[in-house]
Amino acid sequence: MSTEVLLEELEVLESIYPTELQRVSERDIHIEAEPDDPADGAEAVKVTLCVSYPDGYPDVLPNLSLQAEETNFNENDVQGLINDLRAVGGENLGMAMTFTLVSHLREQLSKLVQSKADELERAEEARTRGTPVTPETFTAWKIKFDKELALKKAQEEEDKLRVLTLKEREEWKKLGTRLTGRQLFERNKGLEDETLLEEGTISVDITQYERTREEVEPEEAVTFSDSD
């Protein structure tokens, strides 16, 4: 390709991108590109397309690279954009293709930015929604909770014992081994353990002493007469 033809294309590009295009040399340019349709609420994204024209251009592809330092794009994102540009360039061999490449880049940036925004939204929803509870996750949580509770109670007891005298500690430990009334009841339902009953205690069936309502005849009334 002659220098005159390349200069003609560059002049057209400068009229289209008056502030975005920068000539680095006779055969190298940088063009800033932004998404055609930025995602709502997404950060502004701007990349720089670096184009180097070889002698065989446009019958051969130009050398392409991207500068995207101020974006959240990773290496795979950048490489994917470059691969797309090379594919489009291969479809336009023999023609001035820089404008087509920049237009395609802007479209792909819109899609990529929207994809990143959707990914962040899904991550935020998952964070606020929390982890679904299953029997397995509940069991794991219960084991952890019981362990933490036991450690906490042990620490509290240790703190209490630390300020007690030796005698008070012994009394405290004895209290801790005594069964409560409810525990005794659960342990000896039906009073089956006779060792807890006093000797000579008689079981009483209170159903034998159910009272019934009886009609009581009033006593014979005493009357007084004025005639006597």
Side-chain angles (χ1 to χ4, degrees):
M1 181 180 186
S2 64
T3 303
E4 291 78 8
V5 176
L6 178 58
L7 289 175
E8 183 179 347
E9 180 180 359
L10 293 178
E11 289 177 0
V12 173
L13 291 173
E14 285 177 330
S15 66
I16 298 174
Y17 308 109
T19 59
E20 296 88 351
L21 187 145
Q22 176 188 4
R23 287 200 190 188
V24 180
S25 67
E26 292 184 354
R27 290 182 175 271
D28 297 276
I29 63 171
H30 291 175
I31 302 179
E32 292 181 347
E34 298 177 338
D36 273 336
D37 186 18
D40 294 337
E43 296 183 5
V45 171
K46 183 182 294 185
V47 300
T48 300
L49 175 62
C50 304
V51 185
S52 180
Y53 300 97
D55 291 337
Y57 177 83
D59 295 324
V60 296
L61 290 176
N63 298 317
L64 304 173
S65 62
L66 278 177
Q67 296 177 358
E69 290 84 0
E70 298 183 3
T71 68
N72 61 347
F73 299 162
N74 54 43
E75 293 183 4
N76 291 334
D77 297 330
V78 174
Q79 190 59 50
L81 291 171
I82 293 176
N83 291 341
D84 284 341
L85 292 175
R86 288 172 178 168
V88 172
E91 298 171 356
N92 290 272
L93 290 175
M95 299 179 290
M97 66 179 75
T98 309
F99 174 77
T100 301
L101 294 177
V102 175
S103 298
H104 181 75
L105 175 60
R106 289 168 61 91
E107 292 176 3
Q108 293 305 110
L109 285 175
S110 297
K111 295 179 180 179
L112 183 56
V113 169
Q114 184 62 57
S115 175
K116 292 288 185 180
D118 293 342
E119 183 177 339
L120 287 175
E121 183 177 354
R122 288 192 296 269
E124 180 63 18
E125 289 177 354
R127 185 185 68 81
T128 56
R129 185 172 57 248
T131 304
V133 178
T134 64
E136 292 76 13
T137 58
F138 176 79
T139 300
W141 170 85
K142 187 66 167 57
I143 294 174
K144 181 180 179 182
F145 175 80
D146 291 344
K147 182 178 180 180
E148 292 176 350
L149 184 60
L151 290 174
K152 181 179 179 181
K153 293 180 67 175
Q155 184 61 48
E156 291 176 350
E157 183 173 346
E158 183 178 344
D159 294 339
K160 291 179 180 179
L161 291 174
R162 189 177 294 114
V163 298
L164 298 179
T165 64
L166 181 60
K167 183 177 180 181
E168 289 173 335
R169 291 181 186 179
E170 293 298 327
E171 290 297 324
W172 174 268
K173 292 179 180 179
K174 289 179 181 179
L175 287 174
T177 59
R178 292 178 185 174
L179 296 177
T180 64
R182 180 178 180 84
Q183 290 172 327
L184 287 171
F185 176 77
E186 294 293 337
R187 182 176 178 182
N188 305 285
K189 280 185 179 179
L191 301 178
E192 293 176 355
D193 187 352
E194 297 182 356
T195 61
L196 296 181
L197 295 176
E198 294 182 5
E199 185 177 357
T201 300
I202 300 175
S203 297
V204 178
D205 185 357
I206 63 173
T207 60
Q208 300 298 323
Y209 293 88
E210 292 183 353
R211 299 183 61 186
T212 60
R213 179 177 299 175
E214 298 180 356
E215 296 182 358
V216 179
E217 293 292 338
E219 295 181 359
E220 184 177 351
V222 178
T223 59
F224 298 91
S225 174
D226 295 334
S227 60
D228 287 338

